[in-house]
DNA sequence: TTCATTTTTGTAATCATTCTAAATTTATAC
DNA sequence: GTATAAATTTAGAATGATTACAAAAATGAA
């Protein structure tokens, strides 16, 4: 699993440095739609010299190379997701958790988009998750 | 039209001050999903003493009272929309224009959301608009 | 090793948004 | 109408996420 990450990065035109591998590893293992700070706080424990700028640089590189997508469901901080497949998100306003929503691909086909060339699709819901509905 | 805005504000529990009326008027007349700065730059021409903080205050009040919704389709700035009905948005990465997408209400019914209580729904697409596809 | 390139780092700069307290305006009571 | 209280607006400072930048460190090739 982990030994495949360097090849995956290379396949996307990214030289697999130690930091880049660790950031990608975080994304795929946690699957928690983290902010830059969440990634930084975790990785800095094992890489004491890590700079937050590096995390920004790496994530921007991932976005550019199509290895991750940006999620703007939180108004303050950008979140990131290594799952680049077409899916939606739900954020609970109580526990702040972010859930993946697997939706029928047919649901993403909108007739009113004729003539538009779509590069990104974002579907977000906010409210209360089942646990927080009590 | 315009003389109805005070009543609409009152109906949402908002005292219709001059500034609030002007901000709401901007939203419904332009329908351009503006940022705070866009609203400010326009209104300050007729209200020279206008403060940008006031525009922020008024928009946050509108959000709270359900008179407008927040659109996070732009990564840098929050956009606002006085159309609070269920609809999607498209942002052209070339001309930066934001389009409304009227979608079949049935398309918003997602079976995988059982148990979730939805308060907000956001659907965004990014890419090239028909004009910018050449 | 040496040199060139890439990656990482720390700090400063930027910029949207919020905080705060004072000033102004509006509404109310007398 | 004046005085007082409450609501609104204002200006400037503070916050906080993100980017810019230039130096330092690491990597790779000859």
């Amino acid at each position: 699993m982990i030994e495949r990450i360097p090849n995956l990065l290379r396949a996307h035109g990214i030289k697999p440095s130690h930091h880049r591998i660790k950031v990608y590893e975080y994304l795929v293992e946690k699957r928690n739609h983290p902010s830059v700070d969440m990634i930084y706080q975790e990785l800095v424990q094992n890489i004491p010299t890590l700079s937050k700028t590096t995390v920004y640089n790496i994530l921007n590189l991932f976005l550019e190379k199509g290895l991750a997508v940006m999620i703007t469901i939180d108004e303050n901080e950008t979140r990131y997701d290594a799952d680049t497949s077409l899916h939606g998100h739900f954020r609970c306003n109580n526990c702040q958790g972010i859930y993946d929503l697997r939706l029928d691909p047919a649901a993403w086909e909108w007739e009113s988009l004729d003539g538009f060339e779509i590069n990104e699709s974002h579907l977000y819901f906010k409210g209360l998750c089942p646990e927080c509905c009590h």
Side-chain angles (χ1 to χ4, degrees), chain A:
Chain A
M1 167 86 86
I2 283 154
E3 53 278 5
R4 292 200 182 139
I5 291 180
N7 290 331
L8 183 60
L9 298 191
R10 264 186 287 263
H12 284 80
I14 296 171
K15 197 186 296 184
S17 73
H18 180 237
H19 291 159
R20 289 167 178 171
I21 292 169
K22 285 299 178 188
V23 170
Y24 193 79
E25 199 178 302
Y26 180 101
L27 289 173
V28 297
E29 286 187 354
K30 298 278 175 107
R31 297 207 162 283
N32 58 346
H33 316 90
S35 64
V36 163
D37 197 60
M38 290 165 71
I39 299 171
Y40 172 77
Q41 295 301 338
E42 170 81 15
L43 297 190
V44 76
Q45 296 179 32
N46 293 317
I47 313 171
T49 64
L50 182 65
S51 167
K52 202 178 280 190
T53 299
T54 300
V55 182
Y56 276 104
N57 290 340
I58 290 173
L59 288 168
N60 284 334
L61 182 66
F62 286 178
L63 294 183
E64 188 189 326
K65 300 295 190 183
L67 259 174
V69 292
M70 178 184 290
I71 303 175
T72 58
I73 202 171
D74 184 304
E75 295 96 40
N76 310 320
E77 293 178 302
T78 300
R79 302 303 196 99
Y80 299 87
D81 192 347
D83 180 354
T84 60
S85 70
L86 205 54
H87 67 288
H89 295 99
F90 181 96
R91 198 216 37 212
C92 178
N93 290 331
N94 185 241
C95 67
Q96 305 298 321
I98 297 181
Y99 297 77
D100 282 311
L101 300 177
R102 293 273 143 224
L103 301 168
D104 178 2
W108 293 88
E109 288 166 14
W110 312 93
E111 69 291 343
S112 58
L113 283 168
D114 289 343
F116 290 85
E117 178 188 316
I118 299 175
N119 292 326
E120 292 177 47
S121 303
H122 298 265
L123 179 63
Y124 306 133
F125 296 96
K126 302 182 190 180
L128 294 177
C129 72
E131 287 75 29
C132 293
C133 284
H134 61 228

